[in-house]
Amino acid sequence: MSASMDLSRMCSVGLLTHECFDDLGNFIVQAEEAGHDFVVTPISHPTFRRVLNEDNATDKETQENWKDRPVFNRNDLVIKSAEWSGKAIGLLANWIHLDSTNAEIRLCSELALKQEIEWACHISLTGLIFPSLPKGSLFNTARAINNAVRSMSFTQFLVRVPLTDKSAVQSNLPWKQWNRLRTLTEYNTKIGVVLELTSELPIDEKLLNMWLAEPVKAVIVPAEIFVENSKGYPVLTKPHQKFIKKLMDKMKPDMIVTLPNTPIHKLATPSSYSEYISFLNRNLPELQDVDKFATGYQDYLQAPLQPLMDNLENQTYEVFEKDPIKYQQYEKAVYKALMDRVEHNSDIVTTIMVVGAGRGPLVNCCLRASEKSERKVHIYALEKNQNAFVTLQNAKADVWGDKVTLVFADMRKWKPATQCDILVSELLGSFGDNELSPECLDGAQKFLKEDGISIPANYTAYASPLASTRLNNNVAAYKDLEHYETPYVVMFQQVCELAAPKPLWEFSHPNKQIDVEPMNNLHNVRYSQVSFDVEHDMVMNGIAGYFESVLYKDVMISIRPETHSPGMFSWFPIFFPIRTPVQVPQGSTVTMDFWRLTDAKKVWYEWTVSVYGSGGQEMTVLPIHNVQGRSYYVGL
Amino acid sequence: MSASMDLSRMCSVGLLTHECFDDLGNFIVQAEEAGHDFVVTPISHPTFRRVLNEDNATDKETQENWKDRPVFNRNDLVIKSAEWSGKAIGLLANWIHLDSTNAEIRLCSELALKQEIEWACHISLTGLIFPSLPKGSLFNTARAINNAVRSMSFTQFLVRVPLTDKSAVQSNLPWKQWNRLRTLTEYNTKIGVVLELTSELPIDEKLLNMWLAEPVKAVIVPAEIFVENSKGYPVLTKPHQKFIKKLMDKMKPDMIVTLPNTPIHKLATPSSYSEYISFLNRNLPELQDVDKFATGYQDYLQAPLQPLMDNLENQTYEVFEKDPIKYQQYEKAVYKALMDRVEHNSDIVTTIMVVGAGRGPLVNCCLRASEKSERKVHIYALEKNQNAFVTLQNAKADVWGDKVTLVFADMRKWKPATQCDILVSELLGSFGDNELSPECLDGAQKFLKEDGISIPANYTAYASPLASTRLNNNVAAYKDLEHYETPYVVMFQQVCELAAPKPLWEFSHPNKQIDVEPMNNLHNVRYSQVSFDVEHDMVMNGIAGYFESVLYKDVMISIRPETHSPGMFSWFPIFFPIRTPVQVPQGSTVTMDFWRLTDAKKVWYEWTVSVYGSGGQEMTVLPIHNVQGRSYYVGL
């Protein structure tokens, strides 16, 4: 249990009722007394259903008058005034049938929906919940909702989606209906999800985790899914607890409980259910350093660094030097290299060149490794950023002394007098080669003796298909081609990987294939095609990229989820958008084609995605993105 | 056979050779003497293949030097100078392998491709032909072509595509490869097709007609597919002739023939093949009036008329009054209505109101029908356009006299003193109701007696899925959302319907369901979902719309292809774009959802398209287009 409670992680807890209370104020007071922050209640009484005129009981004039100017009779309303609007979320009528085959019922359903929404907006309700989506076609439902939410600003529109369908618990039927709705409404940011948990959960965790990629703004935990513990109190099963905690951690949704009509848990009181939810909320797994470091950056799109073209700022160095793991791994790598290269008690001085020394953290690593291994070293610290170079001079004057020689130069151009035994660099980006480590080390490897060691020895780019409504919308908000063809560095939060990442390509150093002065950069061109089998119906919004790097022998650093160096926070993943969301039907194969390309002045990526059915038929092919680096490139 | 030859329909005819002539000038002179307008020849000799270095015969330095600065040895070139560039199309090397699994061969292939293209552009060749696409993956081919054509402006890039694949003549395998290429390159307008005919043709005409939707810039007719006629001359089979004529008629491609290496047709001379092609070209089916009328309008996107909001110009009336069929049908309809309504020799005067009389063509129809049927009539001619009304006054003064009463009014507001027997209007748009005929006639039907007749009696909107690269590109050229969500009136030419149109909805007049003064327009809301089974792999670029109308009993007018009134040219079809091309795999179902919607001020359509696999799985769902009429509407 965490010592101090983090208020920023606490979810509001509300009480849902389908009953239509005449005295709503009284119900709200009672709900608050039982520890609820808000209530969820129908907006109108079932009497309002007469406007559908299903039984033709209403005279034509009355009906036509209503259709022309829909106005509420106050007796039809449960939420009668703005008095409680801050405390209440409204349930939209569950009898509307927007995809009825009867045109008149469709039309009147839409008018009734609009009438409820307009009233809710008029009294500034914070939220509205649309009933569970019908099975089958919901094209007119989607069209009507899409039109109706256009005028909404303050009030949030949520669609109720059960986690599972009774007829097929181990599938994602309700998600498919939601997916169809949001595809038809083009990821309308005014439409969110309230996810209703069910007693049975799918066993395949993917079917749960895919909700992390959806705009889940609230979660309903009905009393009926609670079980009784040995003492008679209502509790949730372990899988339910785990899933709810994950939702709380990633989405911070409003939590909504219900009370049973007739008692089902012996010792339950009206506050038991909300208290249990709050208990789970207080007991989320503690935040990691990396999470704290990343606060505010989750799912935020950052442009990747271009350290070759731009000089880093002091603050950037400051942040990255604090990584508790990265420099530990570098120290280990240098230590092992020294141990392998020089015998104990030898007088040999190993020459180490740190290329791109920044403010000196790698120099310190090398010095610590030298001390620990009891091997003598001399270090050249090379840096092209004039500002960082001042800090290096300070360190040399104050700490390093003669053990370190400073060189102010660009590693691609410097001509050293001697060669080194070990070349140490930290030029990796989130995708490995995306900050031009290959090009820089091509230039620097002439500093290295024939049998010298490069740390890192190699690095591999990984990619996987990703779903994320939030990332999709963040890119779409820019409304231009460029942002759809630019990779971003992102701390993933509300995302779901459709399949585990696969390797695209690798770079190894030193590269024995190239000349001392390579004429051009063609040897750093890469192309890879990778395919992923997808078991469930899913949607894809982009590509997640990672790297994995061998520093030296078994010393690695990695941000690939499966092998992520624990606690290392220097790199967030990289995210490559795609220009339209892609439907990925059950049993189909997602193929990605990825290129790393270059001309005399720049390096860029191009990528595309295609989907094939189980019979191999082409379902979707996206155009190749970022043709000739038109939207994004890294300058040489 | 047409009396006068229409030069604007004549295609150039070229001669293709794969031989590498040392004296290209001589070959061109010979080809011209044999009646060819141009030649198609390799750009480089097979010796150039050495740059792939497949056998590692080239020393490393030479190879690396070439890779860095690819320059031609003049002995490698067949087209050595710009001297013949106006007379020659170049064949790109057929040994490049851009999707080789060998990265070095991929790279050198791309460099060689670029080198040939750059040379061809330097000497201003009019065109370049890329060899037939490889089977299997062609992602890197697509990427390399897409990049290579970026710098091309004058010279046209064409991809050679055989009409059929020997392994599967009754399918569209080569088209699928082409489709993948153009999808990956996002309908790049710089990439066209040269279609190579094959001996065997697919029996299903759809597999031929789908090429009419592609950017076929040239057609190769190899000597080998000619057969010998009874006299020993080379001719083509009837199906080949028919298909070639269709291509000539719709696409006006460059035609390219070959000569056999060893004679295969007894009496063939070097000019036989080109002469036969020119013979077919001279014997295209004669142009219809409607084609002449439409010259220059083929596949051109016109905004539909909004006659309710805007007044038509005199010229517009002038054009539409010339329709030879439309007014004939109206006359017939009025004639039959008069015959049905009034007995022979009766003195009863039938009151006819022509609403939206324009410059009076329908008034003349009614007068002719009256004369022919020997039934007395009095006609009210109602018009809201003050300019057209002057023409009506002229007609009354000069011709009509007392038989016609002129009324200057908007039919939705005029209050007549008497009611009429027959209400005649011509308010239909290409989609039937898209120029607001329903709303206008709702307002006008109060002029009609209880048992009166409306001409037209009803009209139905039809829609079908359509492929068309040209229409796709015409819409895409605008680069904004609005143009993707606006319907256009288009004279279709380079299009292919994926399936026959189906009816969406109908309007009937008079509408007995509504009050004399309807409060609102909700009764004119429509929604329809239609599905189309598609037999072959296809692509869909938009929706074709048509109307069919019953004027009176069996008197119809229609622009639906299956029932099109022969010779009627007043309406081109309507085209609804979709925002991204949709892949339609073999055996899948295309579903369209279409809405006609209204509020107090406007009428608009929304539409969407989705594709389902044979198992019902969702492959593609497009967002709903033109939400709330945001991009296009018709003002009330």
Side-chain angles (χ1 to χ4, degrees):
Chain A
M1 192 159 166
S2 64
S4 69
M5 205 169 81
D6 184 350
L7 285 174
S8 75
R9 302 175 82 195
M10 291 305 289
C11 306
S12 297
V13 183
L15 176 63
L16 179 148
T17 182
H18 287 104
E19 266 187 80
C20 297
F21 290 105
D22 282 328
D23 189 346
L24 184 58
N26 185 42
F27 172 66
I28 291 176
V29 169
Q30 284 182 8
E32 284 184 324
E33 281 172 3
H36 302 90
D37 301 307
F38 63 93
V39 301
V40 184
T41 165
I43 296 168
S44 64
H45 284 279
T47 51
F48 183 43
R49 182 168 185 163
R50 74 175 169 282
V51 298
L52 291 194
N53 202 14
E54 291 152 303
D55 48 6
N56 281 307
T58 312
D59 67 282
K60 196 175 173 202
E61 201 190 327
T62 307
Q63 182 68 9
E64 291 301 315
N65 272 327
W66 172 76
K67 281 162 70 177
D68 191 49
R69 305 205 54 195
V71 59
F72 271 115
N73 177 332
R74 77 178 294 280
N75 293 330
D76 284 333
L77 286 168
V78 177
I79 307 180
K80 284 191 166 64
S81 80
E83 192 180 346
W84 305 291
S85 48
K87 302 271 183 193
I89 288 176
L91 293 166
L92 291 159
N94 60 12
W95 40 259
I96 63 171
H97 193 357
L98 292 160
D99 272 287
S100 168
T101 51
N102 178 325
E104 190 64 16
I105 288 183
R106 277 202 308 269
L107 179 66
C108 293
S109 292
E110 185 169 357
L111 294 173
L113 173 71
K114 276 190 191 159
Q115 186 177 346
E116 286 198 321
I117 289 178
E118 279 174 23
W119 170 245
C121 291
H122 176 72
I123 59 170
S124 303
L125 277 195
T126 53
L128 277 179
I129 296 180
F130 188 85
S132 296
L133 297 168
K135 286 184 193 178
S137 180
L138 44 76
F139 287 82
N140 196 50
T141 300
R143 205 252 331 134
I145 290 177
N146 211 25
N147 284 359
V149 300
R150 274 172 75 91
S151 57
M152 293 175 71
S153 51
F154 173 78
T155 307
Q156 195 160 37
F157 188 93
L158 303 174
V159 175
R160 188 168 181 165
V161 185
L163 179 63
T164 62
D165 183 89
K166 271 181 198 141
S167 70
V169 173
Q170 302 306 330
S171 81
N172 55 359
L173 277 184
W175 177 86
K176 282 163 75 175
Q177 285 296 82
W178 156 249
N179 180 51
R180 184 183 289 185
L181 177 81
R182 92 39 205 291
T183 304
L184 288 167
T185 56
E186 206 173 5
Y187 285 70
N188 191 324
T189 52
K190 292 183 177 177
I191 305 173
V193 167
V194 48
L195 186 62
E196 180 167 6
L197 301 194
T198 46
S199 297
E200 279 192 273
L201 296 184
I203 291 161
D204 187 344
E205 215 165 354
K206 275 216 180 70
L207 295 178
L208 294 173
N209 288 345
M210 62 195 298
W211 284 106
L212 301 177
E214 300 296 341
V216 176
K217 307 293 184 187
V219 175
I220 299 174
V221 191
E224 291 71 23
I225 76 166
F226 281 79
V227 293
E228 218 174 64
N229 70 4
S230 55
K231 292 178 192 155
Y233 288 105
V235 296
L236 289 167
T237 67
K238 284 260 182 279
H240 281 98
Q241 289 179 36
K242 188 178 164 199
F243 182 50
I244 287 175
K245 282 179 164 183
K246 204 181 259 177
L247 288 168
M248 286 172 166
D249 186 36
K250 301 272 189 189
M251 335 285 285
K252 204 186 166 192
D254 283 346
M255 300 300 298
I256 298 169
V257 295
T258 67
L259 293 178
N261 290 328
T262 51
I264 44 179
H265 307 101
K266 252 181 290 159
L267 295 185
T269 68
S271 53
S272 298
Y273 303 98
S274 62
E275 275 172 5
Y276 184 81
I277 295 296
S278 299
F279 162 78
L280 291 182
N281 201 180
R282 282 192 306 274
N283 286 281
L284 299 185
E286 264 190 88
L287 291 181
Q288 306 277 309
D289 280 351
V290 52
D291 297 314
K292 288 178 193 154
F293 171 70
T295 302
Y297 277 95
Q298 292 95 344
D299 298 332
Y300 174 81
L301 306 175
Q302 279 180 281
L305 293 174
Q306 294 222 358
L308 213 55
M309 277 170 66
D310 311 322
N311 281 328
L312 300 187
E313 289 174 18
N314 194 51
Q315 180 56 30
T316 313
Y317 287 117
E318 186 86 32
V319 167
F320 287 121
E321 284 172 18
K322 286 204 178 123
D323 194 306
I325 305 303
K326 183 169 80 166
Y327 294 109
Q328 202 174 296
Q329 293 301 92
Y330 267 95
E331 184 186 325
K332 236 186 245 174
V334 176
Y335 170 85
K336 290 200 174 185
L338 286 172
M339 296 291 278
D340 282 354
R341 202 161 170 89
V342 183
E343 296 205 346
H344 188 54
N345 281 335
S346 161
D347 271 342
I348 293 176
V349 176
T350 304
T351 304
I352 301 178
M353 287 185 185
V354 175
V355 290
R359 308 195 315 171
L362 282 183
V363 176
N364 287 323
C365 285
C366 295
L367 291 170
R368 285 197 301 270
S370 155
E371 210 167 310
K372 214 170 184 181
S373 63
E374 301 178 331
R375 265 64 174 173
K376 297 192 177 76
V377 302
H378 184 79
I379 301 171
Y380 288 82
L382 197 71
E383 179 52 48
K384 72 164 177 49
N385 178 346
Q386 62 275 29
N387 303 312
F389 197 69
V390 175
T391 311
L392 289 178
Q393 291 177 64
N394 291 338
K396 181 174 162 71
D398 298 344
V399 189
W400 300 334
D402 288 344
K403 283 190 181 155
V404 179
T405 303
L406 302 184
V407 182
F408 180 59
D410 186 319
M411 74 183 85
R412 290 168 300 174
K413 287 165 198 161
W414 184 49
K415 310 247 184 250
T418 52
Q419 285 186 312
C420 64
D421 300 281
I422 303 175
L423 185 71
V424 187
S425 65
E426 49 165 337
L427 303 161
L428 299 183
S430 299
F431 209 39
D433 55 87
N434 61 306
E435 294 180 10
L436 304 193
S437 179
E439 285 73 13
C440 294
L441 293 182
D442 282 352
Q445 75 179 31
K446 59 178 176 287
F447 313 159
L448 195 58
K449 291 179 184 163
E450 186 66 30
D451 66 342
I453 293 165
S454 168
I455 293 175
N458 67 53
Y459 34 89
T460 304
Y462 280 80
S464 63
L466 195 76
S468 174
T469 297
R470 186 136 76 148
L471 292 179
N472 183 83
N473 294 352
N474 286 349
V475 178
Y478 287 104
K479 294 186 179 180
D480 62 23
L481 176 68
E482 284 70 14
H483 283 84
Y484 273 115
E485 299 194 331
T486 300
Y488 305 92
V489 169
V490 183
M491 170 69 177
F492 290 153
Q493 189 179 45
Q494 296 184 10
V495 305
C496 172
E497 261 183 354
L498 276 60
K502 290 190 175 177
L504 292 178
W505 53 63
E506 182 187 304
F507 287 88
S508 292
H509 300 285
N511 181 354
K512 302 282 186 192
Q513 304 305 309
I514 58 167
D515 291 333
V516 176
E517 294 283 349
M519 264 188 271
N520 53 51
N521 201 25
L522 293 173
H523 57 281
N524 287 326
V525 164
R526 294 288 186 279
Y527 167 49
S528 185
Q529 183 179 74
V530 283
S531 291
F532 304 85
D533 293 334
V534 177
E535 288 158 62
H536 305 285
D537 291 279
M538 296 250 180
V539 72
M540 174 173 173
N541 303 106
I543 298 163
Y546 309 98
F547 81 87
E548 196 173 86
S549 171
V550 172
L551 293 180
Y552 181 71
K553 291 192 172 167
D554 64 340
V555 185
M556 314 255 307
I557 52 175
S558 167
I559 64 163
R560 174 161 79 100
E562 288 74 8
T563 58
H564 199 296
S565 310
M568 186 173 73
F569 67 63
S570 287
W571 294 272
F572 295 155
I574 196 164
F575 174 68
F576 291 84
I578 52 177
R579 280 165 53 192
T580 44
V582 169
Q583 304 298 329
V584 184
Q586 182 172 25
S588 63
T589 300
V590 173
T591 295
M592 284 176 204
D593 285 76
F594 240 101
W595 293 266
R596 185 186 199 266
L597 297 164
T598 179
D599 63 18
K601 291 182 185 157
K602 58 187 195 286
V603 171
W604 71 93
Y605 301 100
E606 298 186 24
W607 62 97
T608 185
V609 169
S610 42
V611 180
Y612 302 88
S614 51
Q617 80 272 31
E618 217 158 76
M619 291 175 168
T620 305
V621 179
L622 293 188
I624 295 172
H625 286 47
N626 194 33
V627 179
Q628 201 79 7
R630 66 182 168 193
S631 297
Y632 161 84
Y633 62 85
V634 189
L636 277 171
Chain B
M1 194 160 166
S2 63
S4 70
M5 208 170 78
D6 183 351
L7 285 173
S8 74
R9 301 175 82 194
M10 291 306 288
C11 306
S12 296
V13 184
L15 176 63
L16 180 148
T17 181
H18 287 106
E19 265 188 80
C20 297
F21 290 103
D22 283 328
D23 189 345
L24 184 59
N26 186 42
F27 171 66
I28 290 174
V29 169
Q30 285 183 6
E32 282 184 324
E33 281 172 3
H36 303 91
D37 302 307
F38 63 93
V39 301
V40 184
T41 165
I43 297 167
S44 63
H45 284 279
T47 50
F48 183 43
R49 183 168 184 162
R50 72 174 171 284
V51 298
L52 290 195
N53 202 15
E54 290 150 305
D55 48 6
N56 282 309
T58 312
D59 66 281
K60 197 176 172 198
E61 202 189 328
T62 309
Q63 183 68 9
E64 291 300 316
N65 272 327
W66 172 76
K67 281 163 68 176
D68 191 49
R69 304 205 53 196
V71 60
F72 272 114
N73 177 333
R74 75 179 297 281
N75 293 330
D76 284 333
L77 285 169
V78 177
I79 308 179
K80 285 191 165 61
S81 79
E83 192 179 344
W84 304 290
S85 49
K87 302 270 186 195
I89 288 177
L91 293 167
L92 292 160
N94 60 13
W95 40 258
I96 63 170
H97 193 357
L98 292 161
D99 273 284
S100 168
T101 52
N102 179 324
E104 190 64 16
I105 289 183
R106 275 203 310 268
L107 180 65
C108 293
S109 292
E110 185 169 358
L111 294 173
L113 172 72
K114 276 190 192 159
Q115 187 177 347
E116 287 198 321
I117 289 177
E118 277 173 23
W119 170 246
C121 291
H122 176 72
I123 59 170
S124 302
L125 277 196
T126 54
L128 278 178
I129 295 179
F130 187 86
S132 295
L133 296 169
K135 285 183 192 178
S137 181
L138 46 74
F139 287 82
N140 197 49
T141 301
R143 205 253 329 137
I145 291 177
N146 210 24
N147 285 359
V149 298
R150 273 173 75 90
S151 58
M152 296 175 69
S153 51
F154 174 77
T155 307
Q156 195 160 37
F157 188 93
L158 303 175
V159 176
R160 187 168 180 166
V161 184
L163 180 62
T164 62
D165 182 89
K166 270 180 198 144
S167 70
V169 173
Q170 302 306 331
S171 80
N172 55 359
L173 276 184
W175 176 86
K176 282 163 74 173
Q177 285 297 81
W178 156 250
N179 180 51
R180 186 185 287 187
L181 176 82
R182 101 15 220 293
T183 305
L184 287 167
T185 55
E186 206 173 5
Y187 285 69
N188 192 324
T189 52
K190 292 183 175 177
I191 306 174
V193 167
V194 50
L195 185 63
E196 180 167 8
L197 301 194
T198 45
S199 296
E200 281 191 272
L201 295 184
I203 292 161
D204 186 344
E205 215 165 352
K206 277 218 178 69
L207 295 177
L208 295 172
N209 288 344
M210 62 193 301
W211 284 105
L212 301 177
E214 300 297 340
V216 176
K217 307 291 184 188
V219 175
I220 300 175
V221 191
E224 291 71 23
I225 75 165
F226 282 77
V227 293
E228 215 174 66
N229 70 4
S230 55
K231 292 177 190 156
Y233 289 105
V235 296
L236 289 167
T237 67
K238 284 262 182 280
H240 281 98
Q241 291 179 37
K242 188 178 162 199
F243 182 51
I244 287 175
K245 283 179 163 183
K246 205 183 258 178
L247 288 169
M248 288 171 164
D249 185 37
K250 301 275 190 186
M251 335 282 287
K252 206 187 167 191
D254 283 347
M255 300 301 300
I256 298 169
V257 295
T258 67
L259 293 177
N261 290 330
T262 51
I264 43 179
H265 308 101
K266 251 181 289 159
L267 295 184
T269 69
S271 52
S272 296
Y273 303 97
S274 61
E275 277 172 4
Y276 184 81
I277 294 295
S278 298
F279 162 77
L280 291 183
N281 201 179
R282 282 193 306 276
N283 287 280
L284 299 185
E286 264 191 89
L287 290 180
Q288 306 279 306
D289 280 351
V290 52
D291 298 314
K292 288 176 193 158
F293 170 71
T295 302
Y297 278 96
Q298 291 94 346
D299 297 332
Y300 174 80
L301 306 175
Q302 279 179 280
L305 292 174
Q306 296 222 356
L308 213 54
M309 277 168 69
D310 311 322
N311 280 328
L312 301 187
E313 287 173 18
N314 194 49
Q315 181 58 29
T316 312
Y317 288 118
E318 185 88 30
V319 168
F320 287 121
E321 284 171 19
K322 286 201 179 124
D323 193 306
I325 305 304
K326 184 170 80 166
Y327 294 108
Q328 203 172 297
Q329 292 301 90
Y330 267 96
E331 184 186 326
K332 236 186 243 175
V334 176
Y335 170 85
K336 290 203 174 183
L338 287 172
M339 296 292 278
D340 282 354
R341 200 161 172 89
V342 183
E343 296 206 346
H344 188 55
N345 280 334
S346 162
D347 273 342
I348 292 175
V349 177
T350 304
T351 306
I352 301 178
M353 287 184 185
V354 176
V355 290
R359 308 196 314 170
L362 283 183
V363 176
N364 287 322
C365 284
C366 294
L367 291 170
R368 286 197 300 273
S370 155
E371 212 168 309
K372 213 173 187 179
S373 63
E374 302 178 327
R375 264 66 175 172
K376 298 192 176 76
V377 301
H378 184 79
I379 301 171
Y380 287 83
L382 197 70
E383 178 53 49
K384 73 165 175 50
N385 178 346
Q386 63 273 28
N387 303 311
F389 197 70
V390 174
T391 312
L392 289 178
Q393 291 176 64
N394 292 338
K396 182 175 162 69
D398 298 344
V399 189
W400 300 336
D402 289 343
K403 281 189 182 155
V404 179
T405 304
L406 303 184
V407 182
F408 179 58
D410 186 319
M411 75 182 83
R412 291 170 298 173
K413 285 163 197 161
W414 184 51
K415 310 244 184 256
T418 51
Q419 285 185 312
C420 66
D421 300 282
I422 304 175
L423 184 71
V424 187
S425 64
E426 49 165 338
L427 303 162
L428 298 183
S430 299
F431 208 39
D433 54 86
N434 62 306
E435 294 180 11
L436 304 193
S437 178
E439 284 74 12
C440 294
L441 292 183
D442 282 352
Q445 74 178 31
K446 62 176 174 287
F447 313 158
L448 194 60
K449 289 178 185 164
E450 185 65 30
D451 66 341
I453 294 165
S454 170
I455 293 175
N458 67 53
Y459 34 89
T460 305
Y462 280 80
S464 64
L466 195 78
S468 174
T469 297
R470 184 136 76 146
L471 291 179
N472 183 83
N473 294 352
N474 286 349
V475 178
Y478 287 104
K479 295 186 179 179
D480 62 23
L481 176 68
E482 282 71 14
H483 283 84
Y484 273 116
E485 300 194 331
T486 299
Y488 304 93
V489 169
V490 182
M491 170 70 179
F492 291 153
Q493 188 178 48
Q494 296 184 10
V495 303
C496 172
E497 260 183 355
L498 277 61
K502 290 190 175 177
L504 292 177
W505 54 63
E506 182 186 304
F507 287 88
S508 293
H509 299 285
N511 180 353
K512 301 282 185 190
Q513 305 301 312
I514 56 167
D515 291 333
V516 176
E517 294 284 351
M519 265 189 270
N520 53 52
N521 201 24
L522 294 172
H523 58 282
N524 286 325
V525 165
R526 294 288 187 279
Y527 167 49
S528 184
Q529 184 179 74
V530 283
S531 292
F532 304 84
D533 294 334
V534 177
E535 288 159 61
H536 304 287
D537 291 277
M538 296 251 181
V539 72
M540 174 173 173
N541 302 106
I543 299 163
Y546 310 98
F547 81 86
E548 197 173 84
S549 170
V550 172
L551 293 180
Y552 181 71
K553 289 191 173 165
D554 64 339
V555 185
M556 313 255 308
I557 52 176
S558 166
I559 64 163
R560 175 161 79 100
E562 288 74 8
T563 58
H564 199 297
S565 311
M568 186 173 73
F569 66 63
S570 286
W571 293 272
F572 294 156
I574 196 164
F575 174 67
F576 291 84
I578 53 177
R579 281 165 52 190
T580 44
V582 168
Q583 304 298 329
V584 184
Q586 182 171 22
S588 62
T589 300
V590 173
T591 295
M592 285 177 203
D593 286 77
F594 239 102
W595 292 266
R596 184 186 202 266
L597 297 164
T598 180
D599 63 17
K601 291 179 185 160
K602 59 188 195 285
V603 170
W604 71 95
Y605 301 101
E606 299 187 23
W607 62 96
T608 185
V609 168
S610 42
V611 181
Y612 302 87
S614 50
Q617 79 273 32
E618 215 158 76
M619 292 175 165
T620 305
V621 178
L622 293 187
I624 296 172
H625 286 46
N626 194 33
V627 179
Q628 200 80 6
R630 64 181 171 196
S631 297
Y632 161 83
Y633 61 86
V634 189
L636 276 172

